[in-house]
Each structure stands twice: as structure tokens, then as C-alpha cells.
Amino acid sequence: MDGQQPAGRSAGGHRSVPHTADLRVEAWAPTAEGCIGELVQAVVGSFADLAEARPVGERDCTVLAASHPDLLAGVLEEVVYRMDADGELPVEVAVGPIEGRDGARRVTVRFRMADAATAELVGAVPKAVSLHDLHLGAGPDGWICRVTVDV
């Protein structure tokens, strides 16, 4: 699965990267918030086709973390949790501004959710977010993030 543009362009995008037994995803966007949103779309799109999924409502969550990569992990863990506990998948993601610096960051995310049972499964379902080689950082052309997800 590939996003629309390679890294280094002004618009956001994402792609899957070959990885043994797990899912490895990279994303890019002009902002950190956009990068997190792209990565959520990439992870969900790796295992579910949401074209016919039935919407069930909106969910908000606030993630607190010590670093940008930890914020990214927290948002993805919320996606995995909602899927596992509530049977819901995000069809849209709106990431609010990242607040705070130096040891205390916070971001609020609004998910438009769909019933996972109405989505078509097209890949292995994520079980957990790996903290190994987790990255969310600014580059010369915008923000870049990557994650490995246990499937």
C-alpha cells in the first residue's frame, strides 16, 4: 500500500515497508499532527477496507506523553484498543495541535468510527504497537514518522 507521494513533497502520504512477520509503516506530512493522522490511516488501511463500513459515531481521546514518538504510539494504541474492546475502526482522524514541550506533551484526537464487523478485512489485524524504532520527527521537508505493528 503506498501513499500518493514520496517523502519530501509538501502533501502527506504513507507506505508500507517490508518487515519480517510484522507490519512496518512510514508516513509523512507538513505537520506532526498530519503525520500522525497519515500513519493511523496507513495502519488501518493495511488490514481493513472501510469503503462499505457502517459509521457508529465519534470518539475523542487525549494522549499524554513525554515525547513525540510516545504520542504517536499512544494514538495508535488507542486505535488498537478501540478495535479490540469496542469493535470499532476509525474512518476519519482529526488530530488536534500538540501542546507542551520538554517532558510533557498532549494531543487530542477525534475519531469518526465505524463498526469493524461491517469492514472488509484485507490483511492481518494489529495486536500491539512496537516501541522499537518508533519515530516521529521533523525533517527538512516536513514531518516523518514510522512504526512497527505486531500482527
Side-chain angles (χ1 to χ4, degrees):
M1 168 178 95
D2 288 326
Q4 297 74 29
Q5 298 182 26
R9 302 286 172 103
S10 61
H14 54 263
R15 66 180 177 184
S16 292
V17 179
H19 192 275
T20 306
D22 292 320
L23 171 66
R24 181 86 172 144
V25 181
E26 296 177 347
W28 54 91
T31 65
E33 296 85 356
C35 202
I36 292 170
E38 281 289 334
L39 200 65
V40 168
Q41 290 177 0
V43 169
V44 173
S46 74
F47 70 91
D49 180 351
L50 301 173
E52 302 297 321
R54 184 174 46 86
V56 293
E58 292 187 355
R59 310 283 184 255
D60 292 336
C61 80
T62 299
V63 177
L64 304 172
S67 68
H68 280 101
D70 291 341
L71 280 178
L72 177 63
V75 171
L76 289 172
E77 288 168 351
E78 180 71 14
V79 170
V80 172
Y81 170 78
R82 291 282 180 185
M83 179 185 59
D84 190 42
D86 300 330
E88 297 177 351
L89 294 171
V91 291
E92 292 179 20
V93 181
V95 181
I98 295 172
E99 301 171 341
R101 301 196 191 289
D102 299 330
R105 289 171 179 79
R106 179 174 90 168
V107 67
T108 300
V109 182
R110 172 165 282 174
F111 298 105
R112 184 169 171 254
M113 304 302 280
D115 181 349
T118 64
E120 179 183 352
L121 291 182
V122 296
V125 177
K127 296 176 186 161
V129 177
S130 173
L131 299 180
H132 177 71
D133 202 23
L134 181 66
H135 176 77
L136 172 61
D141 297 318
W143 286 76
I144 300 168
C145 55
R146 64 182 165 266
V147 68
T148 301
V149 180
D150 299 329
V151 293

